[in-house]
Amino acid sequence: MIPPATGGETAAAPEHAVVMRAITKSFNGVKVLDEVDFDLRRGEIHALVGGNGAGKSTLMKILVGVYSMDAGSYRIDDQEVSFASIADAQAAGVGMVFQEFSLIPTLTVAQNVYLTREPRGFAGLIDDRAMERRTREIFGTMGVAIAPSRVVGELPTAMWQLTEIAKALAQDARVLILDEPTAALARTETVQLFDLMRRLREQGMSMVYISHRMEEVFEVCDRVTVLRDGRRALTERIQELTPRRVIDEIIGRKLEHTMEYQAREISEDVLLRVRGITTRTKLKDVDLELRRGEVLGLAGLMGSGRTELGLALFGVDEVESGDIILDGRRLELTGPGSAIAAGLALIPEDRRLQGLILDHAVRDNLLLPLLGRMSRNGFVDDRAGSRTVKASISSLGIRVRSPSQPVRTLSGGNQQKVVIGKWLAIEPRVLVMDEPTAGVDVGSKGEIVEMIRAFADAGNGVILISSELPELLAVSDRVVILRDGSVERVIDRAEIAHEEDLHHAVQGVA
């Protein structure tokens, strides 16, 4: 804990809010942090970036007392500290907004902000009025209008994020760590969060910003530290860097794949035609065409029907009316099995819940859709399976110690490659991909983008569903805008000059 200030002359505030030196940490004999140095200046937003498994979250969890370090030291406000718990860190003015929300949906905003620290009144009873007044004051300093009496479960995701920040400020945090805070936010909500971060910086708050999104790092941060394989690879002012330089440092080599759009010749032959499909879930009279060799982007606000369209094409959601025609043949989809047999595959939005069996081996996950083809008289052809698994791991660059390794132990990017690999193995004609790079490090993202292009270049078709507009612009040949379950516009990529143009189209702005 920070010792209390002593008497005497008032000393000048130290330049750094946090200084960490030679931080080392191992789990089960595997070193995840190797003598890492990190510092955070007063009134600074400092980006901490790196690939999945680079050690970003581990380093910050040591700072807030979730983990203990094996070696090293750190100082807060020029005082050496060692936190044994999150409560110790909070008492020292260090708060962290974790990637997974810690709010209780059935409680009000004020009750969540002051949970376990409720102000007490007469006879020790909770003083709800005082709690709501203090919460309102905190949101006032943040420049945010949220009614403290609102039940959290009734609020949009952006308000959850702001409530988490208010909760940290209510604990007198002077250092705030934000772990992937925009992962569940729409662009307009992200802009609101960044405005708040800038106001807090002006008030002297020091912030660590953990993110995979380079465009956001360069939009809001002052400095960048890159971790790679548990070591610090770079710390530099944002003005001295480019996104390409940061990405090269993250992956430890020059990035061969580009996230810039590469114009391609697309066949006029229609591979997949959707005519007026309607479902109970969301879709209303949807028409679209996917050409051979094309990447067709699907964009829209939350609730627009993007995911529902992917589920309908894969036979998960029943089509009440309309036609799905692949290679000139009308499909009768009775479930995912019939979609797979027809040549369709879906990379689902949530890989951990919908795309993988986490406790099973990488090999088992890769072979799952192929078991029927590889089985004879109830026995699986192990030699053929091993060849397929080896080819998938090699072609997709899946980083794994052994094919028998449980898939849950892989990084997010490698888990996603396993999901993609198992469906590519069935050789589909159309690949529907729902948020394929969500929570994936920039190196894996570039490799997935390259895979999408290669799959389409082979004469197949890709329907890419994404809320990340730079990703859509990098690979889509046309973009379909969905709104309220219907197609609003179809835009050729050549007509989209800037990301702002696509943002306006998604928002419905002319």
Side-chain angles (χ1 to χ4, degrees), residues 19-310:
V19 176
M20 308 182 78
R21 290 289 177 259
I23 304 298
T24 300
K25 179 66 176 178
S26 297
F27 291 108
N28 299 320
V30 178
K31 188 172 286 187
V32 295
L33 292 174
D34 188 0
E35 298 190 349
V36 173
D37 292 343
F38 178 81
D39 63 76
L40 175 66
R41 295 170 182 164
R42 290 183 173 277
E44 173 187 50
I45 303 175
H46 192 144
L48 184 60
V49 301
N52 291 113
K56 308 181 297 295
S57 294
T58 300
L59 182 66
M60 290 298 101
K61 286 178 178 179
I62 287 174
L63 180 57
V64 297
V66 175
Y67 298 144
S68 60
M69 58 190 173
D70 298 336
S73 64
Y74 54 98
R75 304 172 72 86
I76 306 293
D77 291 333
D78 212 23
Q79 299 287 334
E80 187 161 340
V81 294
S82 181
F83 302 140
S85 67
I86 292 177
D88 284 352
Q90 290 172 346
V94 181
M96 183 168 182
V97 177
F98 295 91
Q99 190 170 357
E100 298 82 15
F101 292 125
S102 62
L103 304 178
I104 299 176
T106 54
L107 298 183
T108 67
V109 170
Q111 288 167 341
N112 272 282
V113 168
Y114 281 96
L115 190 64
T116 73
R117 300 175 301 104
E118 298 85 353
R120 303 284 173 169
F122 178 74
L125 298 176
I126 294 175
D127 189 340
D128 289 314
R129 288 186 179 181
M131 186 162 55
E132 291 186 4
R133 184 185 69 252
R134 294 181 190 178
T135 301
R136 191 175 292 107
E137 290 170 355
I138 292 170
F139 280 116
T141 64
M142 293 167 58
V144 175
I146 299 178
S149 59
R150 288 286 302 275
V151 175
V152 165
E154 299 173 354
L155 297 175
T157 303
M159 297 299 103
W160 286 53
Q161 194 69 266
L162 296 175
T163 301
E164 289 276 17
I165 294 173
K167 186 175 179 179
L169 296 182
Q171 297 160 357
D172 297 323
R174 302 184 302 279
V175 172
L176 186 61
I177 303 160
L178 301 165
D179 191 357
E180 298 285 356
T182 64
L185 301 186
R187 175 58 190 171
T188 52
E189 296 168 336
T190 297
V191 170
Q192 184 181 14
L193 174 64
F194 287 173
D195 287 343
L196 169 60
M197 291 171 63
R198 294 185 185 101
R199 287 195 297 272
L200 292 175
R201 178 176 58 188
E202 291 171 1
Q203 296 168 16
M205 176 74 73
S206 304
M207 286 165 277
V208 180
Y209 185 77
I210 302 174
S211 180
H212 285 309
R213 299 178 177 181
M214 285 298 104
E215 68 277 8
E216 295 180 359
V217 167
F218 277 79
E219 182 176 350
V220 75
C221 296
D222 303 303
R223 283 194 299 160
V224 177
T225 288
V226 176
L227 295 186
R228 183 174 67 246
D229 298 329
R231 296 186 176 186
R232 187 179 71 165
L234 170 146
T235 296
E236 191 59 83
R237 292 191 311 148
I238 201 78
Q239 295 91 337
E240 307 299 325
L241 295 168
T242 64
R244 174 58 64 88
R245 166 87 187 282
V246 174
I247 292 171
D248 288 347
E249 291 290 348
I250 288 173
I251 63 177
R253 56 181 171 81
K254 291 287 185 181
L255 182 65
E256 298 176 1
H257 315 296
T258 175
M259 287 296 286
E260 297 176 358
Y261 177 68
Q262 301 171 0
R264 301 180 300 121
E265 290 292 330
I266 305 300
S267 169
E268 291 298 320
D269 293 340
V270 176
L271 175 62
L272 178 73
R273 179 176 283 113
V274 174
R275 289 178 176 169
I277 66 170
T278 297
T279 64
R280 287 195 184 93
T281 50
K282 189 74 180 182
L283 306 180
K284 295 175 288 188
D285 198 29
V286 171
D287 290 334
L288 61 82
E289 291 182 349
L290 174 67
R291 301 165 188 162
R292 298 183 192 279
E294 182 179 34
V295 180
L296 185 66
L298 290 190
L301 300 173
M302 293 291 289
S304 63
R306 299 172 307 177
T307 292
E308 288 80 1
L309 180 54

Side-chain angles (χ1 to χ4, degrees), residues 340-475:
I340 294 168
L344 291 155
L346 171 68
I347 309 299
E349 182 177 17
D350 191 327
R351 60 177 169 267
R352 294 176 66 85
L353 288 178
Q354 302 166 321
L356 297 167
I357 303 177
L358 293 174
D359 289 326
H360 285 208
V362 171
R363 170 190 170 89
D364 297 339
N365 276 274
L366 284 170
L367 294 179
L368 193 59
L370 294 169
L371 291 180
R373 301 184 187 182
M374 292 187 171
S375 298
R376 294 182 180 178
N377 301 318
F379 293 95
V380 176
D381 186 340
D382 286 332
R383 288 187 178 180
S386 295
R387 287 195 299 269
T388 299
V389 168
K390 184 177 181 180
S392 294
I393 290 174
S394 175
S395 64
L396 291 172
I398 301 172
R399 295 169 183 84
V400 59
R401 296 191 303 272
S402 163
S404 61
Q405 182 178 346
V407 77
R408 72 160 60 250
T409 63
L410 303 186
S411 69
N414 285 300
Q415 286 182 357
Q416 188 71 320
K417 290 178 185 178
V418 172
V419 178
I420 293 171
K422 77 174 186 179
W423 290 119
L424 289 183
I426 70 169
E427 300 180 341
R429 299 301 318 282
V430 174
L431 190 59
V432 182
M433 311 184 79
D434 196 350
E435 303 287 1
T437 64
V440 168
D441 64 77
V442 291
S444 296
K445 181 177 291 191
E447 293 168 340
I448 290 172
V449 165
E450 192 69 12
M451 183 281 301
I452 292 172
R453 291 174 176 150
F455 181 79
D457 286 343
N460 304 302
V462 177
I463 296 178
L464 177 63
I465 304 167
S466 181
S467 56
E468 294 200 27
L469 302 190
E471 178 178 282
L472 284 175
L473 292 177
V475 292

